Amino acid sequence: MRTQVVIIGAGPSGLLLGQLLHKAGIDNVILERQTGDYVLGRIRAGILEQVTVDLLNEAGVGGRLASEGIVHHSIELVFAGTRHPIDVHGLTGGKVVTAYGQTELTRDLMQARAAAGLPTIYEAANVQPAGFDGEHPVVTYDKDGKTHELHCDFIAGCDGFHGVSRASVKDRIAEYERVYPFGWLGVLADVPPVSPHAIVYGNSDRGFSLCSMRSLARSRYYVQCPLDDKVEDWSDQRFWDELRRRLDPELAERIITGPSIEKSIAPLRSFVAEPMRFGRLFLAGDAAHIVPPTGAKGLNLAATDVKYLSGAFIEYFNERDAHGIDTYSARCLKRIWKAERFSWSLTTLMHRFPDTEGFGQRLQEAELDYLVHSRAASTALAENYVGLPL
Ligand code: RFL
Ligand code: PHB
């Protein structure tokens, strides 16, 4: 079989790329290792930058997002037991972020793809990209006891951090990495969010905490935890007690608790692979870079990669112009490193590190105090949070 672009991975990057290419009349096939339900079961991101919202509208999947997404004008920082609002909207000349779950966004993209009759091959095993250094790339995969071949013009590696795309160029790629000495324990619960108008980021002597939401009836909360903790160590009661202890007294009092419907522990990592193009193979999203979730940048960076990559493919197929594909990697990496810097700095500022008692602790306190009392410092935070201009 032949198509113009083979997309490996049906996460948000792959699905969004497929939709944008389809809108421009470019054929594509998505190969996904898991089932669709498995992909939808992963509870991940929740905060979208305006650039991401715009791109989803361009892809024709912005309907439910417009009616169900919750627009946020500010964030709140809790430290030393006190809550400090940061007026993101006011400080950025009117920019906002939107709370809308990655699960819902993925569902919208999957439905649009199915409605357009576009091919997605789920449970494709042993996917292998090849031939991308020459003119005739091919991707092989196993399904229903047979090996299949997909010939194409380009391969898009949208297969996340553990995917095969980056692994297939591992001898030729430079990797930059920082692993953090803690994880995030996340809980999803059908209770009204404690702070429906602003995401709350908390720094306390017991560690980091985060109050987010998926809707006005569904909350998403996180607490920093040791890397070797197991989900089984955390009863719902223990989680709620711990979250309360890390917030200011008013929020702690107001929080409504209930049974968790999902609970998981995620490690935190900063990672960038360079370059993001190898001949006719292009990496996008978590396949090429990871940020710790503190800055809410992962999904948004994936969306910008896809914006640049879809634009580059469209230019190539419609105008035979290779400028976009030639500049793809450099263009993405410029934005990625800025988001890496922001995510690392907010992570460093908000978490308890095992080895930074005393001096490091005092520096955190000084920086937080400066951040909320200096308009310049608050503006820098707000500007990065809503997403730097393209
Ligand atoms: P994904 O979502 O990992 O999808 C990759 C897909 O590829 C498939 N795959 C393969 N398919 C075929 N063959 C193979 N060999 C394959 N190997 C893998 C996988 O099954 C999967 O379906 O990557 P993608 O599409 O690049 O999307 C990236 C985002 O998922 C990620 O950046 C965000 O979730 C990060 N993130 C956040 N980002 C934000 O912008 N805002 C947030 O608020 C935010 N919160 C978060 C987050 C990530 C978190 N965790 C758990 C890592 C909160 C958390 C807790
Ligand atoms: C989430 O809603 O899951 C979320 C929100 C903000 C973050 C990270 C995760 O910084």
Side-chain angles (χ1 to χ4, degrees):
M1 203 171 121
R2 197 190 145 75
T3 185
Q4 285 173 292
V5 181
V6 172
I7 299 170
I8 307 179
S13 305
L15 288 165
L16 182 56
L17 178 64
Q19 200 59 24
L20 290 165
L21 293 180
H22 164 67
K23 288 249 148 196
I26 297 169
D27 287 342
N28 60 87
V29 175
I30 298 185
L31 296 176
E32 165 62 49
R33 176 163 64 183
Q34 306 287 355
T35 64
D37 282 344
Y38 182 94
V39 172
L40 284 174
R42 290 189 296 230
I43 309 296
R44 288 185 171 177
I47 298 295
L48 308 183
E49 295 174 3
Q50 193 57 43
V51 171
T52 306
V53 172
D54 292 345
L55 201 60
L56 291 162
N57 284 324
E58 197 180 314
V61 294
R64 208 156 63 90
L65 166 61
S67 59
E68 294 178 21
I70 302 169
V71 172
H72 287 244
H73 290 81
S74 60
I75 59 171
E76 296 194 336
L77 300 183
V78 176
F79 57 92
T82 309
R83 203 147 28 99
H84 304 265
I86 305 276
D87 174 14
V88 166
H89 181 262
L91 291 165
T92 58
K95 295 190 178 155
V96 295
V97 295
T98 303
Y100 190 68
Q102 178 167 330
T103 308
E104 301 312 313
L105 182 157
T106 306
R107 194 190 311 280
D108 295 344
L109 285 162
M110 279 179 176
Q111 280 174 358
R113 192 166 176 88
L118 306 177
T120 310
I121 296 156
Y122 286 103
E123 297 180 273
N126 194 23
V127 171
Q128 296 291 342
F132 47 81
D133 285 319
E135 297 289 305
H136 305 288
V138 59
V139 183
T140 57
Y141 64 97
D142 297 343
K143 170 103 185 168
D144 300 329
K146 288 198 204 95
T147 299
H148 304 260
E149 275 188 4
L150 264 173
H151 296 266
C152 57
D153 296 299
F154 295 110
I155 304 170
C158 301
D159 47 353
F161 184 66
H162 299 288
V164 66
S165 300
R166 194 180 74 254
S168 70
V169 288
K170 67 174 184 304
D171 302 333
R172 304 195 261 159
I173 202 161
E175 299 187 344
Y176 303 89
E177 182 171 48
R178 175 150 305 181
V179 177
Y180 299 87
F182 40 72
W184 278 19
L185 168 67
V187 159
L188 189 69
D190 279 334
V191 292
V194 66
S195 169
H197 303 297
I199 307 295
V200 179
Y201 292 86
N203 172 315
S204 88
D205 53 15
R206 300 183 66 89
F208 173 77
S209 62
L210 169 56
C211 305
S212 182
M213 70 201 70
R214 291 294 175 269
S215 70
L216 294 177
R218 181 169 284 187
S219 302
R220 180 69 165 163
Y221 297 116
Y222 300 92
V223 294
Q224 171 186 350
C225 69
L227 267 178
D228 49 9
D229 270 18
K230 302 274 168 288
V231 171
E232 306 77 68
D233 301 336
W234 287 87
S235 65
D236 287 358
Q237 191 58 48
R238 181 178 171 207
F239 178 83
W240 294 120
D241 289 346
E242 187 58 39
L243 180 62
R244 277 204 186 93
R245 287 193 195 107
R246 296 183 188 195
L247 297 172
D248 63 293
E250 195 212 323
L251 275 192
E253 171 78 28
R254 228 168 57 202
I255 207 158
I256 299 174
T257 65
S260 63
I261 51 177
E262 196 265 359
K263 201 188 275 164
S264 49
I265 294 178
L268 268 68
R269 181 193 305 274
S270 295
F271 173 87
V272 181
E274 296 183 0
M276 292 167 63
R277 175 201 179 183
F278 294 85
R280 288 173 174 263
L281 169 70
F282 296 78
L283 304 179
D286 280 17
H289 43 77
I290 297 286
V291 285
T294 326
K297 288 282 161 265
L299 177 58
N300 293 299
L301 275 183
T304 9
D305 290 354
V306 165
K307 180 180 174 66
Y308 291 146
L309 190 55
S310 59
F313 285 160
I314 293 167
E315 228 172 74
Y316 179 84
F317 284 116
N318 293 353
E319 296 159 34
R320 288 285 143 190
D321 181 351
H323 181 72
I325 60 178
D326 288 340
T327 53
Y328 169 73
S329 178
R331 230 176 144 193
C332 290
L333 284 164
K334 219 170 145 181
R335 191 175 163 82
I336 289 159
W337 275 111
K338 290 195 180 111
E340 289 285 345
R341 188 211 65 79
F342 173 65
S343 306
W344 161 82
S345 84
L346 198 58
T347 303
T348 307
L349 179 66
M350 297 306 291
H351 291 74
R352 285 294 127 138
F353 284 70
D355 53 348
T356 46
E357 283 159 18
F359 188 75
Q361 196 63 45
R362 288 288 184 271
L363 287 183
Q364 260 191 3
E365 290 163 16
E367 190 175 343
L368 281 164
D369 191 61
Y370 173 60
L371 190 56
V372 299
H373 290 108
S374 153
R375 189 175 168 89
S378 299
T379 303
L381 170 66
E383 221 168 60
N384 280 280
Y385 195 76
V386 298
L388 295 174
L390 284 173

